[in-house]
């Protein structure tokens, strides 16, 4: 895969692309995790709700406002 | 370097960046939030009472609550960032890992924060009608989706055109497409204004500027930390220390 190191490569050499088929499973896995985190900071007990009380909303409340999301 | 490594690095970079963003948010963001809540307490509008809720005290909200919320955002953004980096690195232009990382971070800040922000600027507590939260969130997410769609379409077009027209012309056309799609979104989506006439304009400005800065600190730090963590891992394996020292 990588060629031998007979030629010095400058520090700013471009980086090799990662094959798409290697990215996709991680992108799906990571994407789901990212969306769950964003849901709890961004939307839970505002526009939508999984838990019945407002604890999550109130706890991360200031971060939601500063993140630029509609809050209440 | 595997995709799993990149994802972990992205989330670690996000967590580190959130420490800086928390510092900024505490110093610059909390004063206008406190001022807005103090204003709400003096009005009689019952819609404003939510922020005085005893479920979580203000002290908790502005310290560990804020820290936790920003850490969750930072980790999520870092994970998203790593996925975007994996797709883009080595495919768009011939940049180093550090330059690619910073470029993606600033682009992400623009596309997923600044564009929706300019259409639907955030409001401090005490502003906004609780009845319309679903509608406002839906409109905000619609603007976000349009912005992300415009960016992906512009990137695809730019890459496609680079071979025939060169990087400069391809970038101009891609930028034009992005602006055209986003402008169409601005025109199509409804205007929302729930800021009371009596709300102090300077306080609103302070809050919105603090929001802008918090996200800017978060994304810039993600790009810089991720670039630093990744530069050596991506380039180092091809480069023994001897040739590296000689190249300096
Ligand atoms: Zn709020």
């Amino acid at each position: 895969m990588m060629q031998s190191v007979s030629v010095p490569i400058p520090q700013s050499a471009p980086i090799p692309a990662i094959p798409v088929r290697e990215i996709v499973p991680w992108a799906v896995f990571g994407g789901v995790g990212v969306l769950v985190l964003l849901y709890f900071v961004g939307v839970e007990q505002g526009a939508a709700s999984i838990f019945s009380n407002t604890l999550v909303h109130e706890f991360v409340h200031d971060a939601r406002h500063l993140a630029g999301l509609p809050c209440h | 370097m595997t995709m799993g490594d990149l994802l972990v690095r992205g989330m670690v970079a996000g967590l580190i960046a959130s420490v800086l963003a928390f510092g900024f948010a505490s110093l610059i963001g909390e004063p206008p939030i406190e001022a807005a809540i103090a204003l709400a307490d003096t009005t009689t509008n019952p819609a404003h009472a939510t922020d005085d809720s005893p479920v979580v005290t203000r002290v908790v909200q502005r310290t560990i609550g804020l820290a936790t919320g920003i850490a969750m955002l930072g980790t999520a953004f870092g994970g998203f960032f790593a996925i975007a980096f994996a797709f883009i690195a080595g495919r768009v232009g011939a940049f180093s890992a550090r330059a690619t990382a910073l470029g993606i971070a600033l682009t992400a800040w623009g596309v997923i924060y600044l564009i929706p922000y300019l259409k639907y600027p955030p409001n401090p507590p005490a502003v906004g009608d609780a009845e319309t939260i679903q509608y406002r969130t839906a409109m905000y997410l619609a603007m976000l989706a349009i912005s992300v769609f415009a960016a992906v379409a512009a990137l695809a077009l730019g890459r496609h055109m680079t071979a025939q027209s060169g990087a400069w012309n391809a970038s101009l056309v891609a930028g034009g497409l992005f602006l055209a799609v986003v402008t169409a979104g601005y025109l199509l989506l409804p205007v929302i204004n729930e800021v009371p006439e009596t709300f102090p304009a300077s306080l609103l400005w302070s809050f919105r500027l603090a929001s802008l800065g918090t996200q800017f600190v978060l994304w810039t730090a993600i790009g810089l930390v991720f670039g630093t963590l990744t530069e050596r891992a991506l380039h180092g394996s091809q480069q023994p220390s001897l040739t590296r020292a000689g190249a300096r």
Side-chain angles (χ1 to χ4, degrees):
Chain A
M1 219 162 83
M2 252 144 221
Q3 65 270 71
S4 68
V5 283
S6 54
V7 181
I9 300 160
Q11 192 105 38
S12 60
I15 31 186
I18 301 169
V20 169
R21 67 167 187 282
E22 202 181 304
I23 304 174
V24 168
W26 284 100
V28 172
F29 167 76
V32 170
V34 164
L35 289 179
V36 169
L37 274 174
L38 289 180
Y39 172 81
F40 278 106
V41 187
V43 190
E44 170 71 3
Q45 288 143 15
S49 192
I50 292 175
F51 301 117
S52 58
N53 61 25
T54 58
L55 190 65
V56 175
H57 172 133
E58 292 297 331
F59 189 62
V60 298
H61 175 264
D62 288 15
R64 181 179 301 185
H65 273 277
L66 285 169
L69 290 149
C71 178
H72 53 248
Chain B
M1 184 159 203
T2 70
M3 188 53 214
D5 290 336
L6 278 186
L7 201 57
V8 169
R9 272 161 213 259
M11 291 168 100
V12 168
L15 211 52
I16 294 170
S18 66
V19 176
L20 293 173
F22 169 71
F24 185 93
S26 304
L27 287 172
I28 314 289
E30 282 300 338
I33 290 179
E34 292 292 347
I37 291 170
L39 268 181
D41 288 343
T42 63
T43 63
T44 50
N45 189 338
H48 296 165
T50 34
D51 280 284
D52 219 18
S53 165
V55 179
V56 177
T57 65
R58 277 302 303 152
V59 176
V60 170
Q61 280 187 337
R62 68 169 177 256
T63 51
I64 55 166
L66 178 67
T68 308
I70 290 182
M72 287 165 79
L73 277 177
T75 310
F77 289 163
F80 165 80
F81 174 90
I83 296 166
F85 181 89
F87 278 113
I88 290 169
R91 291 192 174 87
V92 179
F95 300 105
S96 68
R98 271 187 305 202
T100 306
L102 188 59
I104 293 172
L106 292 175
T107 306
W109 175 75
V111 170
I112 70 180
Y113 174 74
L114 189 63
I115 294 293
Y117 169 99
L118 292 172
K119 173 69 181 172
Y120 296 120
N123 289 324
V127 171
D129 179 1
E131 311 266 293
T132 62
I133 179 65
Q134 250 116 11
Y135 172 71
R136 281 182 286 126
T137 304
M139 292 305 111
Y140 183 87
L141 294 179
M143 192 62 232
L144 175 63
I146 289 170
S147 181
V148 170
F149 168 79
V152 172
L155 189 67
L157 180 70
R159 280 196 70 206
H160 181 74
M161 279 187 64
T162 301
Q164 300 104 315
S165 317
W168 177 262
N169 288 334
S171 303
L172 286 183
V173 173
L177 174 72
F178 177 77
L179 284 179
V181 173
V182 162
T183 305
Y186 272 49
L187 292 172
L188 286 170
L189 291 176
V191 172
I192 296 176
N193 178 18
E194 295 185 350
V195 181
E197 300 247 312
T198 53
F199 195 86
S202 61
L203 180 54
L204 192 62
W205 169 252
S206 304
F207 172 79
R208 287 175 176 177
L209 194 59
S211 169
L212 193 81
T214 301
Q215 286 265 17
F216 184 76
V217 169
L218 190 57
W219 280 108
T220 312
I222 288 175
L224 291 174
V225 173
F226 184 89
T228 306
L229 290 176
T230 313
E231 181 84 1
R232 278 187 48 203
L234 280 180
H235 294 298
S237 55
Q238 315 170 305
Q239 238 172 314
S241 51
L242 263 178
T243 47
R244 206 184 218 180
R248 283 221 182 104

